[in-house]
Amino acid sequence: MSSMSEQNRSISLRVNGVSSAYEGAPTRPLVDVLRDVLGLTGTKVGCRTGECGACTVLLDGQPVVSCLLPVAAAADRDVETVEGLRAKSHFAQLAAAMEAAGGSQCGYCTPGIMVTLSAALSADAPPQTAADVAGVLKNNLCRCTGYQSILAAALEVVRQSTDATAPQAGGETEWATK
Amino acid sequence: MAWYQPNRLEEAVKQAADARTVVVCGGTDLFVNWARRQGTYGEADWMSVERIPELQTISLDDTTGDLVIGAAVTAHQIASHGLCAAVPALQQAARVVGGWQIQNRASIGGNLVNASPAADMAVPLVAYDAVVALQSLGGRRRMPVRTFLRGPRQTALEPGELLTEVRIPARVLGRPQQFLRLDQRGGTDISLVSAAAVAQVDEGRVSFAQVAVGAANPVPFSLPEVDASLQGLAVADGAALRDVDGVVASVARRYAEAAQPISDVRASAAYRTAMVDVLVRRAIAGTLTFRAIAQEVEE
Amino acid sequence: MGNEVTVRSDVASKLRGETRYVADIHLPGELYGGVVRSPHAHARIVKVDVEKARAIPGVQAVLTADDVPGGAYGPTQFKDWNILAKDRVLFVGDEVVAVAATSEAALRAALAAVEVTYELLPAVLQPEEALAPGAPVVHDEQPDNRPMHVQLERGDVDAAFAKAHIIRGGRYTTNRIYQGHLEPIGVLANWSEEEGLTIWAPSHIPYRARETYAAAFGLPEDKVRIVVPPIGGSFGAKYVLKAHVIAAALAMAAKQPVRMVFDRYEDMLTAHPRVPLTIDIRIAADAEGRFLGKDVVVWGDAGARVYWSPNVMATACTRPDSLYHFGAVRAEGHLCYTNHSPTTCMRGFGNAEMLFAVESVIDEIADGLGIDPVEIRLRNIVRRGEVTIHGYQLDSCELEACLRQAAELSGWARRQALPPNRGLGVALGNHVSGYRGIDSRFEGSTAVARLRDDGRVEIETGEIDLGQGMSATYAAIAARVLEISVDSVIVKSGDTARYPFGIGTLASRSTVMGGNAVKLAAEQLRQQLTVFAQGEYGADVELIGGVVQSGGAAHSLAEVAARYRSRYAGDTLEVRASYRPETDFPGKDFYGNPSPAYPFAAHVAEVEVDPETGRVRVVGYWAVHDAGVVLNRTAAIGQVVGGVAQGIGWATMEDLVVAEGQVKNLSLLDYRMPGASDIPPVSVSFVEVPDPHGPFGAKSVGEVAIDPAPAAVANAIANAIGARGRHLPLSPERVWRLLHAEEEQR
């Protein structure tokens, strides 16, 4: 069976667990629907060419740049933006590490980096080294920090999670540490 | 404007027959700077092929042993899938297609259909002598990647045809191979020149070797008659490589001679030509010293 | 460190995506604004036909030069701006027609429907060509195409070179660097007859913006209000912009709010990059490596209008002379109009550019004499207590300690025995903490300190936070003066209708200028609070730990605030203080002490070069800074690492490539800024000695962080490959050509 949405036939979206129906051009980039229709302005527009990563969101748990994603491609999938992620406890842990390390200056790239790092730190194989984190962030540009503080913050979260899980097997943490 | 999202290949093939249909998969190429470019598509209908199960699989052909990768398989899936460990050069190429976010969307089929001269995954596929399958209402045909790609943004795809799979011949699976790309930064970048090589070494001798070069000509290219000069080379172990240096250097030089790169904002033709020499030499050398690792993959 | 305070800031909301930048703000009834731009570098406007555009449904305003005030204005003393081009377009991207419409689709249709007929004119694209007789004239008012000509000599330069043991030099060129702010240019403008213009504009010098825009429209300044939303990066790009003026003109015409937010393409097309400099330099030294003379001629490409290029040129011609003892110095600077998009400043402001040349030549002298690069610098650097050749009074200077520490931390001694294709390079830098020459009329900063109802203290400043940590630093300063928790201080700024005047955040001003004003205001608040409390509670009052103690009783600041309001008709206790530094305006002779405090830095870079491809990787970096006493360590380290990263991008990969007046790489794919993998671990250290003029001994750090970086990287590359790259960026192809002895002879 095929699902076909004509123009102005609504596209069902599920953003941060909330369902809504979008009506409009199916090719409209998701980032514009998030910002201009749903009012989720935490997702930023930096380049519209997929280079800067400021518009990163999670699509079924995987980071994607929402400027290159036609809204129809997000139909019936789970989209998570920084507004959804920030409600989760692991986000607070990363945010605390970022703030302590000085991982955000002007802040414009920051939500995209938080989304990417959140996904990386919850993955089955989270980054273990600065080079790993830098690899994860290849699609996120930051002009202020020089990245060092961001890499340090991510590794601090990994360290905390490792410390929390290593001594007693029962240590619960939301970050995978395999 | 309509957006079709078929779940079955036959529906997609039917829809593709409509000349107004633009086929999209991950969209990482088509939707670049969308607000400025949407006018060029007018009132086209769109068909997304990313959710068609037949296009999402990675499998080994039971009879031929070929590795078959569905057109909608993403760069990230190629880089992480167990079966793709047999094609490490393709994995290396998949890992430099943008960053994580792009790799989660960019598909191998899209990389070929877009036919950018700098497409990364196309280069090892040409070296492998990989074959694409093209399907339309009229049936299905196969064609080597190297003839499928015809020029910048030009392919052999006929109206109404869909690229459905990429087939990598069994004989290169697990063989020593390497993909190298010259870029200019650690962020997402585009290839200045890239090269891939794959070889088979039996009892210390090269029994076959194939090379491909990307971003140096309108399409990735191979020189089979030049590659043939690598056959029979003795490479008993890494240390003996010095003895074959001359042959490898000569192969690299001939690839550089055959390259007709452009000068653009990224680099001059002279530099690109010189880099073809360097990358081909390194890719072959890397391949011929890669045996131990490759053999582990085979076991 | 006893003087360090951990400061809270706006970072939490940035991390959570709650910060609202200008593109995130909407007004009811807002229109979409856009601009028809010149596709030509230089052309006569023969005809502008906007009838079809006006007829498109949804179009609310279409403006040509005939519809807007035509007087020349500008943000500096060079008044060469218009609102829209009338007779000629002067560069690709020059603004011809402005449109406001109710939807983006209508806007795009209208922009496409405007028909402009051009007659092409010969363009002038190189500064040296601009000076040649018969060159096309960019502005009729400046027939020589040279809005600024620096001529400066101190000491007898010819005599110095005549007695030199060694002379090194050559032609160096610096590149067209795009500031690369992640937030594209955007603005929201509104007009009402009663209140005049309100412009939401991310400008870090909003009061100069107000003055400039008021002049553009012939309005009194109190009819222009600039509200500054959080700024998503600037580095010099977001001072005073034509986009703001055009949005305002559209809002006035349509009588509706107008938003104009560029996409990256338009942001890059209209970018005002760093002033590209061509530098002919010679430095003379004696046999011991002591400098005897420095002689430079500089050509700067201002583009078609003046932004801050004159300040950049002046800085390039003078600033490094207060870093080293050059003996006699001579500088000639030609700032030239061309048919390029106007250029302006970026962090480093001409000094980093000239230091690239100076530090390269110093290494060549060291090579020529067989003296170690660190040693030759130790023989020539400025030190505390000196007055430099241009009159800079160095009341603090730990440059020698920085250099020695950088050498030690980097393992400089390894340089003799590095593996092949590895290189170590050293470079120094200096800067100012506010520069008297930014405004001829005044210098300093004003702050208001207020005791709020809730007992917290509110600080108002005219300076602007760009994410560099300014507000947090101000909070720390006020908290320290008042001996209250830093969480009890709120810092506000960014609205010209509400907050005190400020010259703005440029020239590394904020810590010393604004910081001193905050310190003064906090001191006066403390004093007045004490006087009031004495009247209320008795002569023995003491402010300790955020509580007023008197006769064994403790009174919270909230209680004191309430008591004050009850005595003064509900008013709040508030003081206003201005810091006025004792500095000299650098006149035509560029002599005088232009800043209260000078920061210094020594950087060492380590690179590895792939000799076959020319690809450079920076593999190590050590930055040692004299920023006085560091008040906000995390922010200061962040400034240094961020500056170094920009310097690495500048030196190795970034360039807006222009040909025939067109920028060829209008995307973040082909304008390559460094990614996370391009920046090595950067070791940052501070030599902390209080400066007598900085607040609690602090000096600036933002710009000096980048000043040595391109030179340090270039010197490291030269050390690695044994050849000197004189043209930035040292891209893989450039380095490869150097290695293959094909560097163009220029």
Side-chain angles (χ1 to χ4, degrees):
Chain A
M1 219 204 93
S2 79
S3 73
M4 300 194 183
S5 54
E6 303 288 339
Q7 183 179 20
N8 298 333
R9 244 182 81 182
S10 73
I11 291 168
S12 72
L13 296 176
R14 201 163 53 244
V15 180
N16 301 326
V18 179
S19 295
S20 62
Y22 165 79
E23 300 193 356
T27 48
R28 190 169 177 191
L30 177 67
V31 67
D32 294 327
V33 175
L34 293 174
R35 290 174 51 80
D36 298 341
V37 179
L38 300 177
L40 297 169
T41 56
T43 304
K44 303 303 180 191
V45 175
C47 66
R48 294 194 179 274
T49 56
E51 312 299 335
C52 81
C55 66
T56 300
V57 301
L58 301 185
L59 183 68
D60 287 342
Q62 292 301 309
V64 300
V65 282
S66 58
C67 68
L68 299 187
L69 192 74
V71 58
D76 306 309
R77 290 184 164 182
D78 277 310
V79 174
E80 259 186 307
T81 70
V82 67
E83 287 90 348
L85 285 169
R86 72 192 180 202
K88 303 191 170 175
S89 65
H90 70 238
F91 188 92
Q93 189 188 358
L94 176 61
M98 282 282 279
E99 185 161 359
S104 175
Q105 289 185 29
C106 88
Y108 200 78
C109 72
T110 303
I113 284 175
M114 291 296 287
V115 172
T116 306
L117 286 181
S118 292
L121 293 167
S122 339
D124 290 343
Q128 296 296 318
T129 65
D132 292 347
V133 183
V136 160
L137 289 176
K138 184 179 175 190
N139 223 148
N140 291 86
L141 291 176
C142 170
R143 190 59 154 171
C144 295
T145 64
Y147 305 98
Q148 186 157 294
S149 49
I150 297 169
L151 306 191
L155 292 178
E156 171 62 17
V157 169
V158 172
R159 192 195 62 77
Q160 287 171 6
S161 307
T162 310
D163 287 357
T165 48
Q168 68 271 44
E172 290 296 322
T173 170
E174 289 201 43
W175 299 115
T177 53
K178 288 175 203 113
Chain B
M1 189 200 308
W3 182 275
Y4 301 104
Q5 178 119 5
N7 294 332
R8 293 203 339 242
L9 183 56
E10 59 173 319
E11 285 175 19
V13 169
K14 217 164 126 186
Q15 180 62 39
D18 183 333
R20 285 178 314 172
T21 303
V22 180
V23 178
V24 60
C25 193
T28 52
D29 189 79
L30 287 179
F31 284 88
V32 167
N33 246 336
W34 180 245
R36 285 184 181 273
R37 291 175 51 216
Q38 56 183 333
T40 60
Y41 292 93
E43 285 303 292
D45 290 334
W46 292 77
M47 176 170 66
S48 164
V49 295
E50 66 170 303
R51 299 191 203 183
I52 299 170
E54 294 97 315
L55 305 190
Q56 294 176 328
T57 55
I58 301 175
S59 60
L60 286 176
D61 185 312
D62 287 343
T63 41
T64 62
D66 295 347
L67 178 64
V68 184
I69 301 176
V73 169
T74 65
H76 179 73
Q77 288 167 328
I78 288 170
S80 52
H81 197 279
L83 283 178
C84 291
V87 282
L90 181 63
Q91 289 189 311
Q92 287 159 348
R95 289 191 190 102
V96 295
V97 175
W100 189 13
Q101 290 94 313
I102 298 291
Q103 286 160 27
N104 279 330
R105 296 290 305 162
S107 64
I108 189 168
N111 204 238
L112 292 174
V113 171
N114 285 323
S116 160
D120 293 306
M121 290 190 284
V123 182
L125 293 178
V126 168
Y128 296 152
D129 249 335
V131 169
V132 291
L134 309 175
Q135 197 157 341
S136 67
L137 284 178
R140 177 175 165 119
R141 59 182 181 135
R142 295 185 190 281
M143 159 184 311
V145 170
R146 67 178 63 177
T147 47
F148 174 76
L149 298 170
R150 294 208 165 153
R153 309 269 158 193
Q154 290 171 355
T155 68
L157 205 65
E158 295 287 340
E161 269 186 328
L162 287 179
L163 192 159
T164 56
E165 67 180 35
V166 179
R167 182 172 285 262
I168 300 172
R171 72 166 180 170
V172 304
L173 301 185
R175 298 297 174 203
Q177 54 187 265
Q178 189 163 46
F179 170 79
L180 292 174
R181 184 176 96 159
L182 180 63
D183 50 24
Q184 304 192 62
R185 71 164 169 188
T188 57
D189 203 351
I190 195 157
S191 163
L192 286 179
V193 169
S194 61
V198 57
Q200 182 172 349
V201 180
D202 293 319
E203 293 170 358
R205 285 193 181 272
V206 175
S207 54
F208 96 95
Q210 292 179 167
V211 175
V213 168
N217 275 5
V219 295
F221 73 103
S222 276
L223 302 172
E225 70 286 1
V226 174
D227 297 344
S229 63
L230 293 165
Q231 277 191 23
L233 276 186
V235 282
D237 56 55
L241 200 61
R242 200 169 308 149
D243 303 333
V244 302
D245 267 0
V247 178
V248 173
S250 146
V251 169
R253 193 162 51 246
R254 289 173 69 183
Y255 268 91
E257 284 163 6
Q260 294 183 308
I262 55 166
S263 286
D264 64 7
V265 71
R266 294 168 190 145
S268 73
Y271 178 66
R272 282 195 167 99
T273 302
M275 292 307 105
V276 170
D277 193 331
V278 173
L279 264 70
V280 168
R281 182 159 40 77
R282 287 183 181 180
I284 298 172
T287 298
L288 296 182
T289 53
F290 196 59
R291 282 175 303 133
I293 303 163
Q295 277 164 355
E296 277 172 30
V297 175
E298 279 182 283
E299 282 159 12
Chain C
M1 301 293 297
N3 45 39
E4 262 186 75
V5 194
T6 305
V7 281
R8 285 182 62 241
S9 62
D10 54 355
V11 169
S13 31
K14 288 174 175 169
L15 291 161
R16 295 166 55 81
E18 292 165 345
T19 304
R20 288 187 175 266
Y21 300 85
V22 69
D24 304 329
I25 301 170
H26 296 273
L27 292 179
E30 67 185 10
L31 304 174
Y32 295 84
V35 180
V36 176
R37 301 177 180 283
S38 167
H40 307 299
H42 194 192
R44 188 171 310 286
I45 301 174
V46 177
K47 187 170 171 231
V48 179
D49 185 349
V50 297
E51 290 316 307
K52 284 181 199 149
R54 283 211 167 104
I56 289 172
V59 170
Q60 303 289 322
V62 179
L63 301 179
T64 69
D66 294 333
D67 306 312
V68 294
Y73 65 99
T76 68
Q77 78 258 34
F78 301 85
K79 306 299 181 194
D80 59 5
W81 289 30
N82 54 22
I83 298 179
L84 291 168
K86 187 168 173 60
D87 303 318
R88 281 190 296 152
V89 287
L90 303 180
F91 58 95
V92 174
D94 203 356
E95 303 94 343
V96 183
V97 176
V99 177
T102 51
S103 70
E104 272 193 273
L107 171 66
R108 279 181 192 282
L111 293 174
V114 169
E115 290 171 11
V116 185
T117 312
Y118 297 99
E119 174 195 326
L120 296 192
L121 296 172
V124 57
L125 299 169
Q126 291 297 331
E128 285 170 282
E129 291 167 14
L131 296 181
V137 173
V138 180
H139 290 279
D140 294 337
E141 299 77 10
Q142 194 75 53
D144 64 353
N145 284 330
R146 186 168 60 182
M148 185 197 207
H149 185 202
V150 176
Q151 283 176 296
L152 172 74
E153 181 161 1
R154 292 223 147 79
D156 188 338
V157 171
D158 291 333
F161 277 82
K163 67 179 178 190
H165 177 81
I166 183 171
I167 297 170
R168 287 289 184 273
R171 171 161 287 199
Y172 288 78
T173 59
T174 65
N175 35 344
R176 204 172 279 272
I177 296 291
Y178 173 56
Q179 289 85 355
H181 38 281
L182 261 283
E183 176 205 32
I185 301 291
V187 58
L188 190 56
N190 192 34
W191 165 259
S192 83
E193 293 295 335
E194 303 75 35
E195 296 183 6
L197 272 175
T198 303
I199 305 174
W200 287 260
S203 164
H204 41 116
I205 55 170
Y207 295 85
R208 183 68 70 89
R210 177 179 68 177
E211 184 179 355
T212 307
Y213 306 159
F217 294 107
L219 293 168
E221 276 192 39
D222 65 0
K223 285 286 190 193
V224 179
R225 175 183 179 188
I226 311 286
V227 183
V228 184
I231 301 177
S234 166
F235 318 107
K238 295 173 182 169
Y239 275 23
V240 179
L241 291 169
K242 284 283 298 287
H244 302 167
V245 181
I246 291 170
L250 287 168
M252 291 167 86
K255 304 209 183 314
Q256 274 177 271
V258 172
R259 72 188 275 108
M260 195 148 75
V261 177
F262 289 175
D263 62 7
R264 183 59 56 181
Y265 179 87
E266 192 164 18
D267 192 288
M268 297 189 76
L269 178 75
T270 61
H272 305 303
R274 251 183 218 284
V275 184
L277 299 180
T278 299
I279 300 168
D280 282 352
I281 181 170
R282 294 187 304 155
I283 297 176
D286 67 16
E288 280 74 50
R290 290 197 171 76
F291 304 148
L292 301 172
K294 164 175 163 275
D295 189 10
V296 297
V297 183
V298 188
W299 291 263
D301 180 350
R305 279 197 271 271
V306 169
Y307 282 59
W308 267 262
S309 52
N311 310 60
V312 170
M313 175 59 78
T315 304
C317 286
T318 56
R319 186 70 45 83
D321 303 345
S322 293
L323 179 63
Y324 292 104
H325 295 284
F326 285 117
V329 297
R330 180 162 59 205
E332 178 165 24
H334 309 279
L335 182 67
C336 302
Y337 281 129
T338 67
N339 293 112
H340 282 134
S341 178
T343 60
T344 190
C345 52
M346 184 176 168
R347 189 184 207 173
F349 221 105
N351 191 26
E353 287 86 336
M354 182 57 80
L355 284 171
F356 161 62
V358 164
E359 294 285 342
S360 296
V361 175
I362 289 174
D363 264 24
E364 294 209 313
I365 293 174
D367 273 359
L369 294 173
I371 301 175
D372 181 88
V374 167
E375 175 57 29
I376 199 170
R377 285 172 172 79
L378 286 170
R379 289 178 194 177
N380 290 285
I381 53 175
V382 295
R383 288 178 169 81
R384 179 171 53 181
E386 293 176 0
V387 175
T388 71
I389 193 165
H390 297 314
Y392 291 26
Q393 195 177 306
L394 307 182
D395 292 332
S396 71
C397 174
E398 296 302 316
L399 183 55
E400 177 175 344
C402 289
L403 178 51
R404 290 190 186 280
Q405 198 171 320
E408 185 175 333
L409 290 171
S410 63
W412 183 258
R414 292 182 293 133
R415 192 167 180 268
Q416 301 307 320
L418 287 173
N421 306 312
R422 280 243 177 182
L424 276 169
V426 65
L428 308 183
N430 62 332
H431 221 83
V432 290
S433 305
Y435 181 64
R436 181 67 184 83
I438 291 293
D439 197 310
S440 60
R441 299 161 297 183
F442 33 68
E443 171 62 305
S445 188
T446 300
V448 169
R450 179 183 301 118
L451 181 61
R452 289 161 49 114
D453 276 7
D454 60 5
R456 291 193 287 175
V457 170
E458 192 166 279
I459 299 291
E460 293 178 357
T461 170
E463 317 305 341
I464 301 294
D465 199 328
L466 287 154
Q468 82 277 40
M470 182 196 86
S471 299
T473 301
Y474 289 180
I477 289 170
R480 187 159 158 192
V481 170
L482 290 157
E483 293 180 68
I484 57 178
S485 152
V486 75
D487 292 336
S488 304
V489 183
I490 295 154
V491 178
K492 293 190 164 179
S493 70
D495 185 340
T496 61
R498 293 179 64 181
Y499 303 123
F501 178 87
I503 288 176
T505 304
L506 76 169
S508 293
R509 298 180 71 257
S510 66
T511 294
V512 170
M513 295 297 167
N516 269 323
V518 169
K519 182 161 173 278
L520 282 176
E523 285 166 358
Q524 290 179 22
L525 181 68
R526 181 178 181 130
Q527 194 252 334
Q528 291 199 20
L529 198 146
T530 304
V531 169
F532 175 74
Q534 281 170 343
E536 297 295 311
Y537 306 117
D540 65 333
V541 298
E542 268 190 295
L543 179 60
I544 299 170
V547 172
V548 173
Q549 308 264 14
S550 170
H555 308 277
S556 71
L557 288 180
E559 181 196 320
V560 177
R563 208 176 258 253
Y564 185 91
R565 294 194 69 188
S566 72
R567 297 274 190 252
Y568 291 94
D571 198 9
T572 50
L573 177 55
E574 172 178 312
V575 300
R576 187 181 188 95
S578 295
Y579 166 67
R580 290 159 295 167
E582 290 175 17
T583 51
D584 305 318
F585 182 75
K588 270 198 148 30
D589 63 352
F590 295 99
Y591 191 86
N593 184 36
S595 182
Y598 301 93
F600 296 92
H603 287 193
V604 172
E606 182 166 5
V607 302
E608 187 168 288
V609 180
D610 181 333
E612 288 190 320
T613 64
R615 179 86 143 82
V616 172
R617 286 175 203 281
V618 182
V619 295
Y621 208 97
W622 297 265
V624 184
H625 278 250
D626 166 15
V629 173
V630 175
L631 297 180
N632 184 343
R633 187 159 303 264
T634 302
I637 292 170
Q639 285 296 297
V640 174
V641 179
V644 167
Q646 289 177 354
I648 288 171
W650 181 357
T652 63
M653 60 182 84
E654 295 181 34
D655 198 10
L656 280 178
V657 179
V658 287
E660 301 303 308
Q662 306 265 1
V663 179
K664 296 297 184 187
N665 50 341
L666 292 173
S667 74
L668 292 186
L669 178 61
D670 277 322
Y671 184 90
R672 279 174 293 277
M673 301 195 286
S677 301
D678 294 308
I679 310 302
V682 180
S683 150
V684 181
S685 330
F686 296 97
V687 178
E688 293 191 65
V689 173
D691 181 275
H693 309 292
F696 299 113
K699 300 194 280 192
S700 76
V701 70
E703 290 188 276
V704 73
I706 196 174
D707 283 333
V713 172
N715 279 342
I717 293 171
N719 180 233
I721 68 174
R724 170 71 49 188
R726 296 190 170 91
H727 309 294
L728 295 180
L730 294 168
S731 61
E733 180 165 353
R734 284 244 173 86
V735 172
W736 175 79
R737 286 182 185 278
L738 281 170
L739 281 160
H740 293 75
E742 283 183 39
E743 164 106 298
E744 60 269 51
Q745 302 297 314
R746 297 178 59 165

